Amino acid sequence: LPKWARLTAPVAPVANRTLRLGPVARLAKATAGIDQRRSIPAFAPQTLRRTLCGSRGVPEVVPDVWIWADSFTDHFFPQNALAAIRFLESVGVTARVIRDDACCGLTWITTGQLDQARSILTRTVRTLTPYVESGVPVVGLEPSCLATLRSDAEELTGSTVGVLTFAELLERLDVPLPSLEGVEVVAQPHCHHASVLGWAADRRLLEKAGATVTQVAGCCGLAGNFGMEKGHYDVSVAIAETHLLPAVRSQPTAVVLADGMSCRVQLDDLAGVPTMHLAELLASTLER
């Protein structure tokens, strides 16, 4: 997926329009082994790094926070990082995006290509380590990618790198939080977020801000490429119907919080409901 995203990035709007054409979409799904009932996630019109980093000839300005542009945030959900930057700047914290290409290798890991994943992770740890060791906090916005740095990197390379979740960053900086009084939140923590990173900091922040939080138990059912593949669709839907979809249906006016790309794709496919990253939720209070 990261390879396809990098190749598609220069022509993302054209690629999205092409992949919405019935015959092309059916052929693309058949070629990639995707169930025909699934939608293909749309590429961002412009990547995060291209939007914010500009010319590589411009010297870096050392900020208060570095944002790691993982492949999913860079190519599919740059709005997560843009929202994080807006919110941080509103509380006097300067954030910048790391220009360097630093993929976590997750898609190679989940498909069993461990030698390739080890090579990719080794480069990424080497790339991110100087930023972390500089003393400036580094934050990651896609839970699955960040969890890979904390768990798989240790197993495959013998090294880890201390990148924070957005909630961990806000707690460390002890920034003032906006009021979320009266806001109901249905939160679907990504499985890697819950099991590897821990979701407790996110809950503490939301409740401190005044939100009423319903944390969905268990998996959304997509599980990365699993729920996209032929033969897994019915199982994927059944898992979503266990906890996630009933929770969303029972609170139709609630904000649906889903930081992970898999969870957002699943909710878009099966429920058609808008979802938000924690950074987007906090940044939305600035607009209000």
Side-chain angles (χ1 to χ4, degrees), residues 37-272:
R37 289 166 287 186
R38 284 291 180 190
S39 61
I40 299 175
F43 297 101
Q46 185 164 277
T47 67
L48 173 66
R49 287 183 295 153
R50 183 177 291 274
T51 300
L52 295 180
C53 294
S55 169
R56 293 191 65 85
V58 178
E60 296 280 19
V61 175
V62 178
D64 301 313
V65 172
W66 284 113
I67 294 178
W68 169 41
D70 63 83
S71 297
F72 295 142
T73 301
D74 197 24
H75 293 278
F76 293 95
F77 289 100
Q79 66 267 29
N80 296 345
L82 298 175
I85 291 169
R86 284 200 309 276
F87 178 72
L88 289 171
E89 290 184 344
S90 77
V91 294
V93 177
T94 302
R96 295 288 184 270
V97 173
I98 294 173
R99 294 173 174 172
D100 305 290
D101 186 14
C103 176
C104 71
L106 177 63
T107 53
W108 284 270
I109 293 170
T110 58
T111 52
Q113 301 176 71
L114 298 186
D115 289 338
Q116 181 73 0
R118 183 178 295 108
S119 175
I120 292 168
L121 264 173
T122 298
R123 289 196 303 271
T124 294
V125 170
R126 188 185 306 125
T127 297
L128 296 180
T129 294
Y131 289 94
V132 173
E133 291 184 347
S134 73
V136 176
V138 180
V139 65
L141 297 170
E142 169 55 45
S144 59
C145 295
L146 180 49
T148 302
L149 292 185
R150 292 199 187 173
S151 59
D152 300 275
E154 174 69 29
E155 296 172 9
L156 291 173
T157 73
S159 301
T160 59
V161 57
V163 179
L164 305 171
T165 70
F166 193 60
E168 289 170 343
L169 172 75
L170 297 185
E171 284 201 327
R172 175 180 291 192
L173 298 179
D174 193 23
V175 302
L177 297 175
S179 173
L180 294 176
E181 291 288 344
V183 177
E184 295 183 351
V185 173
V186 172
Q188 171 62 60
H190 190 284
C191 287
H192 290 163
H193 199 155
S195 62
V196 178
L197 307 174
W199 200 74
D202 298 72
R203 174 179 279 278
R204 285 194 299 269
L205 280 176
L206 290 166
E207 292 180 343
K208 184 178 179 181
T212 301
V213 182
T214 300
Q215 181 178 346
V216 177
C219 179
C220 74
L222 193 69
N225 57 300
F226 172 84
M228 301 292 289
E229 295 172 349
K230 293 177 183 176
H232 296 164
Y233 181 82
D234 292 332
V235 173
S236 178
V237 173
I239 294 171
E241 286 287 2
T242 305
H243 297 291
L244 175 58
L245 296 182
V248 171
R249 294 189 194 110
S250 68
Q251 299 186 60
T253 61
V255 171
V256 180
L257 200 66
D259 286 3
M261 178 174 172
S262 292
C263 305
R264 298 181 81 156
V265 169
Q266 181 79 315
L267 282 160
D268 186 50
D269 260 9
L270 303 184

